[in-house]
Amino acid sequence: MPVFDRRMLYDIIYALAAKDGRESALFGTCAPVAKEAFCRSLVGDTFPELWFELPLAGDPWFDLHSLVSHADIAGTNVRYAGHEGRYDDALTWFASCEEGVRQLAMSYDVSSGDIDCPAVQLLVDRRGSDVVGGFLGAVGRPEALDAWRTFCRNMPDSWYACYTGVFPGRVQRAFAPFLRMECIVNAAMRHEYVRNGPALAGHLRDVGGFWANDTLVVQCQQLVTSPFPFEFQFDVQEDGSAGPTLGASVRFHTADWMDAGARGSMAQLMDRVSSWGLADDRWRLLADMVYAKRVTLDDKAVSLYCYPAFLKLRWRDGAPLDAKAYLIAGVDPVRRAKA
């Protein structure tokens, strides 16, 4: 990667996603702040995986998530380019882990203009439950481990907690999460939820989601009915129970955008979401942001990629709140590209 200027590659990734009127429709005026956030999140010689968080209704804006993969920095001594060492303990801990961890994310509230205190999140595989305590200690939040453990005890065996995050910049905000957890629901339980709304409601109430009313359950079932992987996201309170805000998302892969049947399922799902008042027609622009482009310099080449990866809905106290799309973008390493 050193032969390529990472800031230049970022500019190309963003320009390709935002061209043809998509900046004004989807991204708004957040690009300069996002570029600064990207520069602060650089680690060593790697290029992070980028997630662009886009609202599907209301004024256009976006937030930026920058993820470093464990495979890229394992066993190394690296630092973030910005933040004056504030998150280096977390990065050092992450690089020293031997198994269970996948990615460490820095998440920036670009839309607010405040990128000095990003959230930090750990993504793990199914072996990663034993390392969350180390992560929370490394980010200065060891007291949150009891809440994490309580939530995990109360959630069904058919879920697994793939993500844990803390939000130091949101402490003074309304509905600020003490801890955020994302849970993947296995295929068997997804099928059960489709036909059994009371089971879905019961599992949400088991973790403290007493706001799980009929409307919320039916809307979650509409998401689960789609053929795509399904996840719940919770803002966990200090006692380990779910807070008032619930997120639920489905995940798409690049191949889904190339398959007519999958695209049809996406369109049906988005039509439902639009009928609930959570999205307008801008979701139709998402398919135009799927790309893979090769960039060459001297005798080296990399492939830039981008695709819409998630549709996420949120409810607060059981009432529908909003819908967002997440783009995943990045750079395939030089060693995988043909010159």
Side-chain angles (χ1 to χ4, degrees), residues 38-256:
F38 167 78
C39 293
R40 293 186 186 187
S41 69
L42 292 175
V43 173
D45 293 330
T46 66
F47 193 97
E49 181 177 271
L50 303 173
W51 294 15
F52 296 89
E53 178 183 347
L54 306 168
L56 294 177
D59 294 334
W61 54 265
F62 74 96
D63 286 339
L64 183 70
H65 310 261
S66 178
L67 295 82
V68 61
S69 294
H70 182 257
D72 289 337
I73 65 167
T76 64
N77 183 18
V78 289
R79 297 289 183 267
Y80 284 110
H83 304 299
E84 300 177 343
R86 186 182 306 148
Y87 298 93
D88 287 347
D89 286 349
L91 193 63
T92 298
W93 170 85
F94 179 71
S96 69
C97 283
E98 295 185 358
E99 64 176 23
V101 297
R102 297 191 294 115
Q103 292 172 302
L104 189 69
M106 303 288 281
S107 295
Y108 297 89
D109 285 335
V110 171
S111 55
S112 72
D114 181 8
I115 60 172
D116 290 332
C117 295
V120 58
Q121 297 131 346
L122 176 69
L123 286 75
V124 301
D125 61 27
R126 292 183 182 275
R127 301 168 297 171
S129 60
D130 294 335
V131 304
V132 173
F135 163 70
L136 292 172
V139 295
R141 293 290 304 281
E143 75 282 0
L145 182 58
D146 285 344
W148 185 89
R149 286 173 170 162
T150 297
F151 186 92
C152 288
R153 281 197 301 268
N154 291 335
M155 74 181 189
D157 292 339
S158 52
W159 301 2
Y160 107 85
C162 64
Y163 156 119
T164 302
V166 297
F167 294 77
R170 299 188 186 181
V171 174
Q172 304 302 323
R173 299 187 190 181
F175 303 108
F178 177 72
L179 189 67
R180 180 163 289 168
M181 295 177 64
E182 184 113 3
C183 300
I184 295 174
V185 179
N186 70 24
M189 188 52 62
R190 293 202 307 268
H191 294 312
E192 178 67 12
Y193 287 161
V194 169
R195 67 175 189 85
N196 190 345
L200 192 159
H203 284 167
L204 291 174
R205 290 170 183 145
D206 285 344
V207 296
F210 297 107
W211 29 250
N213 57 41
D214 290 345
T215 297
L216 181 149
V217 169
V218 169
Q219 290 176 338
C220 283
Q221 284 181 297
Q222 294 296 316
L223 292 179
V224 178
T225 301
S226 74
F228 309 107
F230 177 84
E231 304 174 15
F232 281 124
Q233 187 179 86
F234 299 90
D235 288 351
V236 178
Q237 302 180 111
E238 292 187 50
D239 65 357
S241 64
T245 304
L246 171 71
S249 60
V250 293
R251 178 161 190 167
F252 314 124
H253 295 90
T254 305
D256 294 325

